[in-house]
Each structure stands twice: as structure tokens, then as C-alpha cells.
Amino acid sequence: MPIIVKSREEIAIMREAGKIVGGTLQLLVDLLRPGLVEKELDEVVRKEFKKRDVIPTFLGYHGYPATVCVSINDEIVHGIPGDREIMDGDVVSIDLGCTYKGFVADAALTAGVGDVSPEAQKLIDATKEAVWLGIRAARGGSRVGEIGHAIQTYAEGKGYSVVREYVGHGVGREMHEDPQIPNYGSRESGPVLRPGMVIAIEPMVNIGGWRTKRDSDNWTVRTADRSLSAHFEHTLAITDEEPEVLTLP
Ligand code: MF3
Ligand code: CO
């Protein structure tokens, strides 16, 4: 599939989609507390999206059964919100997407609940810093490889590893468009970023090794060594200068 450059009008729509995703994610983080049942987050998204007349992009995507992904501790991404209660000290990653007027926005964040360990908090802070370093590297005229290079150099410099098997992506009418946006690799790799491209940058950073394994539910991805993992994601539009982050609250 070719890379699809968006018009100003299309980016204006994606800006609205992004605000809804960013705002709803913030709402979900504010609800996090020990004792909250994961499913309650899915229920809040369903209500919120209905109210705003937007489509939950994840629901039904390759058969995914919920509107949001909730991945805890050694779970990296794609956890299905179920009957599990969130516990004090948990590291909770929430990933959310919506479709508004035919365009998608996709974002994720990780938060510690209650009394989190200093190691966990450091991982969360570093992963958030990593996504912003990637965003700052995403300039019109630069190659996609600059993003992964910035993220990998920073994360590995802290002694962490970055997940290889899952990567960021172009975003538009489809949640996953070209190009792929790896969180690792050489600066000289990948296509050149052009104004009007919209991409999702989403580093997944592990305390241990980068290898992953999938649960028997065929969705939940966790670290192979069971180490803690954090995930941040924003959808952004490439410009001639700093990119415009679309999924802020
Ligand atoms: N937000 C994820 C991504 O960035 C996709 C979620 S997978 C789904 O690729 F099945 F839940 F939709
Ligand atoms: Co994504």
C-alpha cells in the first residue's frame, strides 16, 4: 500500500478524532484505582463514544472483542478488559482508538495505580519521554528511521529494551496504514516523512528483554521474560516544522 498524504481538510477531521481519543483516555486514567474492574473502562468508552457519535475503532478489528486495550504489568499491548480487578501498584497501559467522519485516531498511555515501585515509575517516565523524543524527531524531510533511532538510543541508554515485533504505523481512513514506524533501527532507514502524513508513534519499553509472547487468548502480548512493560502512543501530523500532535487531551 502506498503512503497516503492527507489534505488540510482531512487533517482537520483527524484533529477532532484525536481530541476525542485524547480526552477519553484522560477520563479513563482519572478513573484508575485499586478495585476498578477492567471492563468498567470498556463500558465508559462505549458510553462516551455513543454520546459523541464516534465509532470505537478497535471493537471487531480482526475480531477484537472490546473498545479499548488494557494491559497490566508484564502485559505489553492488546490486553482484553475483563473481570480482573486493578490492584495497588499495578502498571496499567490503556490503548484507545476512535473513528470520526471516516478517520481514525489512535493513542495509548501507561499509568501506575496507587503505590507503584520506584522502578515501575522510572520505566513509565522513560517511556513517556521516549514517545516525545520520537515525536520531536518526526519532521518533514527526515527519514522514519530518525524516530526509532531516537527512541531506541534513549531507552537502551536507560538500560531498557524496546519491543521489535510491534511497531507504530501510518493512520488515516484505516487504523494501520503505511509506513511502519519501528521504535528501533538506523537513522538512514525508512521512507522520508512529508507534510500531510499522519503517523502513530508508539514505543513499548521493557525493563528486561525485548522478546514477546502471546497468551492463549490470542490477543494479550506480554514480555517473554515477564518483566514490566510500558507503552505510550500519539497520533501526529507531519508538517514542515514540529509535528502537530493530534491526540492530546
Ligand atoms: N492501538 C493498537 C495499535 O496501535 C491497535 C489495537 S489492536 C485492536 O496498533 F485489536 F485492539 F484493535
Ligand atoms: Co497504534
Side-chain angles (χ1 to χ4, degrees), residues 95 106-107 167-169 175-176 200 202 231 233:
D95 193 341
D106 185 12
V167 297
H169 48 91
M175 173 159 64
H176 295 139
E202 51 177 318
H231 178 212
E233 175 176 24

Side-chain angles (χ1 to χ4, degrees), residues 73 76 91 93 110 123-124 127 203-206 228-232:
N73 296 331
I76 303 168
V91 171
S93 301
T110 301
L123 173 72
I124 294 169
T127 310
M204 291 142 271
V205 179
N206 303 343
L228 281 184
S229 185
H231 178 212
F232 280 83

Side-chain angles (χ1 to χ4, degrees), residues 22 88 109 113 121 123-124 129 144 165 178 180 214 248:
D88 187 60
L109 51 75
V113 177
Q121 193 57 54
L123 173 72
I124 294 169
E129 179 65 15
V144 164
E165 288 119 326
D178 278 342
Q180 293 202 344
R214 207 146 47 117
L248 293 172

Side-chain angles (χ1 to χ4, degrees), residues 37-123:
V37 177
E38 289 177 330
K39 263 186 181 166
E40 297 179 53
L41 296 171
D42 180 68
E43 284 157 17
V44 170
V45 173
R46 284 174 198 251
K47 256 192 232 143
E48 211 51 41
F49 280 11
K50 196 168 211 171
K51 207 162 68 187
R52 293 155 183 268
D53 207 23
V54 297
I55 297 165
T57 314
F58 296 3
L59 186 63
Y61 181 83
H62 292 283
Y64 185 74
T67 62
V68 59
C69 303
V70 180
S71 310
I72 300 182
N73 296 331
D74 64 321
E75 298 171 2
I76 303 168
V77 285
H78 303 170
I80 300 168
D83 295 320
R84 179 170 57 170
E85 275 186 19
I86 288 164
M87 296 200 296
D88 187 60
D90 274 351
V91 171
V92 181
S93 301
I94 308 176
D95 193 341
L96 182 66
C98 87
T99 305
Y100 171 73
K101 294 189 179 170
F103 286 89
V104 174
D106 185 12
L109 51 75
T110 301
V113 177
D115 217 353
V116 284
S117 71
E119 304 81 69
Q121 193 57 54
K122 275 188 204 153
L123 173 72

Side-chain angles (χ1 to χ4, degrees), residues 184-211:
Y184 58 91
S186 134
R187 303 174 67 165
E188 287 87 42
S189 62
V192 175
L193 294 163
R194 301 289 178 203
M197 287 172 58
V198 179
I199 60 172
I201 299 180
E202 51 177 318
M204 291 142 271
V205 179
N206 303 343
I207 283 187
W210 57 266
R211 287 179 196 281

